[in-house]
Short mmCIF file of all heavy atoms in Angstrom, two decimals:
data_model
loop_
_atom_site.label_atom_id
_atom_site.label_comp_id
_atom_site.label_asym_id
_atom_site.label_seq_id
_atom_site.Cartn_x
_atom_site.Cartn_y
_atom_site.Cartn_z
N ASN A 1 0.78 -1.21 0.05
CA ASN A 1 -0.01 0.04 0.05
C ASN A 1 0.87 1.33 -0.04
O ASN A 1 0.54 2.35 -0.61
CB ASN A 1 -0.89 -0.01 1.12
CG ASN A 1 -2.17 -0.87 0.95
OD1 ASN A 1 -2.49 -1.24 -0.13
ND2 ASN A 1 -2.60 -1.49 2.12
N ILE A 2 2.02 1.16 0.52
CA ILE A 2 2.88 2.31 0.66
C ILE A 2 3.40 2.56 -0.82
O ILE A 2 3.33 3.78 -1.31
CB ILE A 2 4.14 2.08 1.54
CG1 ILE A 2 3.68 2.21 2.96
CG2 ILE A 2 5.14 3.20 1.31
CD1 ILE A 2 4.80 1.84 3.91
N ASN A 3 3.77 1.56 -1.56
CA ASN A 3 4.21 1.76 -2.93
C ASN A 3 3.02 2.07 -3.86
O ASN A 3 3.21 2.80 -4.81
CB ASN A 3 4.85 0.44 -3.37
CG ASN A 3 6.33 0.26 -2.80
OD1 ASN A 3 7.11 1.05 -2.84
ND2 ASN A 3 6.43 -0.93 -2.12
N PHE A 4 1.86 1.67 -3.47
CA PHE A 4 0.70 2.04 -4.35
C PHE A 4 0.55 3.42 -4.21
O PHE A 4 0.18 4.24 -5.08
CB PHE A 4 -0.43 1.15 -3.84
CG PHE A 4 -1.78 1.49 -4.53
CD1 PHE A 4 -1.88 1.71 -5.93
CD2 PHE A 4 -2.73 1.82 -3.73
CE1 PHE A 4 -3.08 2.10 -6.55
CE2 PHE A 4 -4.04 2.17 -4.30
CZ PHE A 4 -4.14 2.30 -5.69
N ALA A 5 0.52 3.92 -2.99
CA ALA A 5 0.25 5.41 -2.75
C ALA A 5 1.38 6.17 -3.36
O ALA A 5 1.01 7.28 -3.94
CB ALA A 5 0.32 5.70 -1.20
N ARG A 6 2.62 5.66 -3.26
CA ARG A 6 3.62 6.46 -3.98
C ARG A 6 3.35 6.52 -5.48
O ARG A 6 3.63 7.52 -6.05
CB ARG A 6 5.01 5.84 -3.80
CG ARG A 6 5.47 6.00 -2.32
CD ARG A 6 6.91 5.35 -2.13
NE ARG A 6 7.42 5.68 -0.87
CZ ARG A 6 8.52 5.27 -0.48
NH1 ARG A 6 9.25 4.31 -1.17
NH2 ARG A 6 9.03 5.50 0.81
N ARG A 7 2.88 5.44 -6.15
CA ARG A 7 2.55 5.44 -7.49
C ARG A 7 1.46 6.43 -7.82
O ARG A 7 1.45 7.20 -8.88
CB ARG A 7 2.27 4.02 -7.88
CG ARG A 7 1.99 3.86 -9.42
CD ARG A 7 3.37 4.03 -10.16
NE ARG A 7 4.26 2.87 -9.76
CZ ARG A 7 4.32 1.67 -10.30
NH1 ARG A 7 3.55 1.38 -11.36
NH2 ARG A 7 5.26 0.72 -9.89
N LEU A 8 0.42 6.45 -7.06
CA LEU A 8 -0.61 7.49 -7.15
C LEU A 8 -0.09 8.86 -7.03
O LEU A 8 -0.54 9.82 -7.66
CB LEU A 8 -1.71 7.25 -6.17
CG LEU A 8 -2.62 5.89 -6.32
CD1 LEU A 8 -3.71 5.84 -5.25
CD2 LEU A 8 -3.25 5.91 -7.71
N ILE A 9 0.82 9.06 -6.05
CA ILE A 9 1.44 10.43 -5.88
C ILE A 9 2.13 10.82 -7.15
O ILE A 9 1.81 12.00 -7.70
CB ILE A 9 2.36 10.50 -4.77
CG1 ILE A 9 1.65 10.28 -3.43
CG2 ILE A 9 3.21 11.76 -4.73
CD1 ILE A 9 2.57 10.20 -2.21
N ARG A 10 2.76 9.93 -7.89
CA ARG A 10 3.48 10.38 -9.06
C ARG A 10 2.40 10.59 -10.20
O ARG A 10 2.61 11.59 -10.98
CB ARG A 10 4.41 9.21 -9.55
CG ARG A 10 5.74 9.10 -8.72
CD ARG A 10 6.69 8.14 -9.35
NE ARG A 10 6.32 6.88 -9.50
CZ ARG A 10 6.48 5.98 -8.58
NH1 ARG A 10 7.12 6.20 -7.43
NH2 ARG A 10 6.17 4.68 -8.80
N VAL A 11 1.35 9.79 -10.21
CA VAL A 11 0.41 10.00 -11.20
C VAL A 11 -0.35 11.40 -10.92
O VAL A 11 -0.48 12.11 -11.94
CB VAL A 11 -0.69 8.92 -11.13
CG1 VAL A 11 -1.91 9.30 -11.98
CG2 VAL A 11 -0.13 7.61 -11.61
N GLN A 12 -0.61 11.70 -9.79
CA GLN A 12 -1.33 12.97 -9.54
C GLN A 12 -0.37 14.17 -9.62
O GLN A 12 -0.83 15.29 -10.07
CB GLN A 12 -1.89 12.87 -8.02
CG GLN A 12 -2.90 11.89 -7.75
CD GLN A 12 -3.92 11.99 -8.84
OE1 GLN A 12 -4.46 12.97 -9.15
NE2 GLN A 12 -4.65 10.79 -9.05
N GLU A 13 0.89 14.06 -9.47
CA GLU A 13 1.90 14.98 -9.69
C GLU A 13 1.96 15.35 -11.20
O GLU A 13 1.89 16.59 -11.60
CB GLU A 13 3.26 14.84 -9.18
CG GLU A 13 3.40 14.85 -7.55
CD GLU A 13 4.70 14.39 -7.10
OE1 GLU A 13 5.43 13.65 -7.92
OE2 GLU A 13 5.01 14.53 -5.94
N GLN A 14 2.06 14.22 -12.03
CA GLN A 14 1.87 14.50 -13.48
C GLN A 14 0.63 15.12 -13.82
O GLN A 14 0.59 15.95 -14.73
CB GLN A 14 2.12 13.14 -14.14
CG GLN A 14 3.49 12.53 -13.88
CD GLN A 14 3.62 11.07 -14.41
OE1 GLN A 14 2.72 10.59 -15.02
NE2 GLN A 14 4.86 10.52 -14.16
N ALA A 15 -0.53 14.76 -13.26
CA ALA A 15 -1.75 15.40 -13.62
C ALA A 15 -1.75 16.75 -13.31
O ALA A 15 -2.38 17.65 -14.06
CB ALA A 15 -2.84 14.58 -12.91
N LEU A 16 -1.19 17.17 -12.08
CA LEU A 16 -1.09 18.44 -11.73
C LEU A 16 -0.30 19.29 -12.66
O LEU A 16 -0.62 20.51 -13.05
CB LEU A 16 -0.61 18.69 -10.25
CG LEU A 16 -0.51 20.01 -9.62
CD1 LEU A 16 -1.82 20.72 -9.72
CD2 LEU A 16 0.05 19.98 -8.34
N GLU A 17 0.75 18.75 -13.00
CA GLU A 17 1.63 19.47 -14.05
C GLU A 17 0.92 19.76 -15.29
O GLU A 17 1.10 20.76 -15.96
CB GLU A 17 3.00 18.72 -14.30
CG GLU A 17 3.93 18.63 -13.10
CD GLU A 17 5.11 17.72 -13.31
OE1 GLU A 17 5.10 17.17 -14.49
OE2 GLU A 17 5.96 17.52 -12.42
N ARG A 18 0.24 18.62 -15.87
CA ARG A 18 -0.55 18.84 -17.03
C ARG A 18 -1.69 20.00 -16.93
O ARG A 18 -1.80 20.68 -17.86
CB ARG A 18 -1.06 17.53 -17.46
CG ARG A 18 -0.13 16.57 -18.08
CD ARG A 18 -0.77 15.35 -18.71
NE ARG A 18 -1.60 14.65 -17.71
CZ ARG A 18 -1.26 13.59 -17.15
NH1 ARG A 18 0.11 13.03 -17.20
NH2 ARG A 18 -2.00 12.80 -16.19
N ALA A 19 -2.42 19.87 -15.76
CA ALA A 19 -3.34 20.85 -15.50
C ALA A 19 -2.76 22.30 -15.46
O ALA A 19 -3.43 23.23 -15.97
CB ALA A 19 -3.99 20.47 -14.21
N ASP A 20 -1.62 22.49 -14.75
CA ASP A 20 -0.96 23.76 -14.77
C ASP A 20 -0.72 24.23 -16.13
O ASP A 20 -0.90 25.47 -16.54
CB ASP A 20 0.18 23.66 -13.85
CG ASP A 20 -0.10 23.74 -12.39
OD1 ASP A 20 -1.19 24.34 -12.06
OD2 ASP A 20 0.72 23.12 -11.57
N LEU A 21 -0.12 23.38 -17.00
CA LEU A 21 0.31 23.67 -18.34
C LEU A 21 -0.92 24.12 -19.21
O LEU A 21 -0.90 25.14 -19.81
CB LEU A 21 1.03 22.53 -19.13
CG LEU A 21 1.35 22.74 -20.45
CD1 LEU A 21 2.38 23.93 -20.58
CD2 LEU A 21 2.01 21.47 -21.03
N ASN A 22 -2.07 23.41 -18.95
CA ASN A 22 -3.32 23.67 -19.60
C ASN A 22 -3.90 25.11 -19.22
O ASN A 22 -4.45 25.91 -19.99
CB ASN A 22 -4.37 22.80 -19.44
CG ASN A 22 -3.95 21.30 -20.13
OD1 ASN A 22 -3.16 21.28 -21.00
ND2 ASN A 22 -4.54 20.28 -19.52
N LEU A 23 -3.75 25.35 -17.91
CA LEU A 23 -4.25 26.65 -17.43
C LEU A 23 -3.41 27.79 -17.85
O LEU A 23 -3.95 28.83 -18.27
CB LEU A 23 -4.00 26.55 -15.87
CG LEU A 23 -4.49 27.81 -15.08
CD1 LEU A 23 -5.86 28.30 -15.38
CD2 LEU A 23 -4.34 27.76 -13.55
N ARG A 24 -2.02 27.59 -17.93
CA ARG A 24 -1.26 28.68 -18.56
C ARG A 24 -1.68 28.87 -20.14
O ARG A 24 -1.59 30.14 -20.42
CB ARG A 24 0.23 28.36 -18.46
CG ARG A 24 0.72 28.46 -17.02
CD ARG A 24 2.25 28.43 -17.05
NE ARG A 24 2.84 27.22 -17.48
CZ ARG A 24 3.06 26.09 -16.77
NH1 ARG A 24 2.83 26.10 -15.43
NH2 ARG A 24 3.61 24.95 -17.31
N SER A 25 -1.90 27.76 -20.76
CA SER A 25 -2.30 27.96 -22.20
C SER A 25 -3.64 28.64 -22.33
O SER A 25 -3.72 29.50 -23.21
CB SER A 25 -2.36 26.66 -22.82
OG SER A 25 -1.03 26.07 -22.84
N ALA A 26 -4.47 28.33 -21.49
CA ALA A 26 -5.93 28.96 -21.56
C ALA A 26 -5.77 30.27 -21.23
O ALA A 26 -6.43 31.25 -21.89
CB ALA A 26 -6.70 28.20 -20.51
N ARG A 27 -5.03 30.75 -20.17
CA ARG A 27 -4.84 32.14 -19.87
C ARG A 27 -4.13 32.94 -20.99
O ARG A 27 -4.55 34.07 -21.31
CB ARG A 27 -3.97 32.34 -18.59
CG ARG A 27 -4.81 32.01 -17.35
CD ARG A 27 -3.90 31.98 -16.15
NE ARG A 27 -4.71 31.73 -14.99
CZ ARG A 27 -4.13 31.60 -13.83
NH1 ARG A 27 -2.86 31.54 -13.64
NH2 ARG A 27 -4.93 31.40 -12.74
N GLY A 28 -3.12 32.34 -21.66
CA GLY A 28 -2.50 32.98 -22.68
C GLY A 28 -3.52 33.16 -24.03
O GLY A 28 -3.53 34.24 -24.51
N PHE A 29 -4.28 32.17 -24.21
CA PHE A 29 -5.17 32.39 -25.31
C PHE A 29 -6.38 33.42 -25.03
O PHE A 29 -6.77 34.12 -25.79
CB PHE A 29 -6.00 30.98 -25.62
CG PHE A 29 -5.01 30.06 -26.45
CD1 PHE A 29 -4.91 28.65 -25.97
CD2 PHE A 29 -4.20 30.47 -27.54
CE1 PHE A 29 -4.12 27.82 -26.63
CE2 PHE A 29 -3.42 29.63 -28.06
CZ PHE A 29 -3.30 28.32 -27.68
N PHE A 30 -6.76 33.43 -23.73
CA PHE A 30 -7.79 34.40 -23.20
C PHE A 30 -7.15 35.86 -23.32
O PHE A 30 -7.87 36.70 -23.71
CB PHE A 30 -8.22 34.08 -21.87
CG PHE A 30 -9.06 35.14 -21.27
CD1 PHE A 30 -10.38 35.31 -21.71
CD2 PHE A 30 -8.51 35.98 -20.25
CE1 PHE A 30 -11.18 36.26 -21.14
CE2 PHE A 30 -9.33 36.97 -19.68
CZ PHE A 30 -10.69 37.12 -20.06
N GLU A 31 -5.85 35.91 -23.06
CA GLU A 31 -5.29 37.35 -23.00
C GLU A 31 -5.24 37.94 -24.42
O GLU A 31 -5.29 39.08 -24.59
CB GLU A 31 -3.91 37.28 -22.36
CG GLU A 31 -3.98 37.00 -20.78
CD GLU A 31 -2.73 36.94 -20.25
OE1 GLU A 31 -1.60 36.87 -20.96
OE2 GLU A 31 -2.57 36.78 -18.89
N VAL A 32 -4.88 37.00 -25.40
CA VAL A 32 -4.76 37.39 -26.68
C VAL A 32 -6.23 37.53 -27.55
O VAL A 32 -6.30 37.89 -28.66
CB VAL A 32 -3.90 36.58 -27.69
CG1 VAL A 32 -2.53 36.70 -27.04
CG2 VAL A 32 -4.26 35.20 -27.69
N GLY A 33 -7.29 37.09 -26.66
CA GLY A 33 -8.57 37.16 -27.30
C GLY A 33 -8.97 35.97 -28.08
O GLY A 33 -10.10 36.02 -28.72
N THR A 34 -8.34 34.94 -28.19
CA THR A 34 -8.70 33.69 -29.01
C THR A 34 -9.53 32.73 -28.19
O THR A 34 -10.02 31.67 -28.83
CB THR A 34 -7.43 33.06 -29.63
OG1 THR A 34 -6.66 32.63 -28.45
CG2 THR A 34 -6.70 33.97 -30.40
N ARG A 35 -9.69 32.77 -26.90
CA ARG A 35 -10.33 31.73 -26.03
C ARG A 35 -11.21 32.54 -25.17
O ARG A 35 -10.80 33.51 -24.64
CB ARG A 35 -9.44 30.85 -25.29
CG ARG A 35 -8.66 29.91 -26.26
CD ARG A 35 -9.59 28.77 -26.79
NE ARG A 35 -8.76 27.86 -27.61
CZ ARG A 35 -9.36 26.83 -28.22
NH1 ARG A 35 -10.63 26.56 -28.09
NH2 ARG A 35 -8.58 26.00 -28.92
N PRO A 36 -12.39 31.88 -24.77
CA PRO A 36 -13.26 32.58 -23.79
C PRO A 36 -12.74 32.39 -22.32
O PRO A 36 -11.86 31.51 -22.05
CB PRO A 36 -14.65 31.90 -24.02
CG PRO A 36 -14.24 30.58 -24.44
CD PRO A 36 -13.08 30.75 -25.26
N LYS A 37 -13.32 33.27 -21.53
CA LYS A 37 -13.03 33.20 -20.15
C LYS A 37 -13.37 31.80 -19.46
O LYS A 37 -12.69 31.35 -18.52
CB LYS A 37 -13.66 34.23 -19.31
CG LYS A 37 -13.50 34.31 -17.74
CD LYS A 37 -12.04 34.69 -17.45
CE LYS A 37 -11.82 34.74 -15.94
NZ LYS A 37 -10.47 35.09 -15.60
#
């Protein structure tokens, strides 16, 4: 279970990194007016 939790931590860290990247992209598109709020 410790190793399973560690595997989930890595998965969620990667998910958080992807979500942060998508958020930065969405903000960039919104600032130039190509994407809605």
Side-chain angles (χ1 to χ4, degrees):
N1 285 332
I2 290 176
N3 286 306
F4 172 53
R6 287 179 173 177
R7 187 69 61 91
L8 291 183
I9 289 173
R10 289 196 294 270
V11 170
Q12 299 305 329
E13 287 175 343
Q14 293 172 1
L16 181 58
E17 290 176 359
R18 290 193 297 267
D20 280 333
L21 178 61
N22 294 338
L23 177 59
R24 289 194 297 269
S25 298
R27 284 174 176 170
F29 287 133
F30 171 70
E31 290 173 355
V32 298
T34 59
R35 291 287 181 181
K37 179 66 175 179

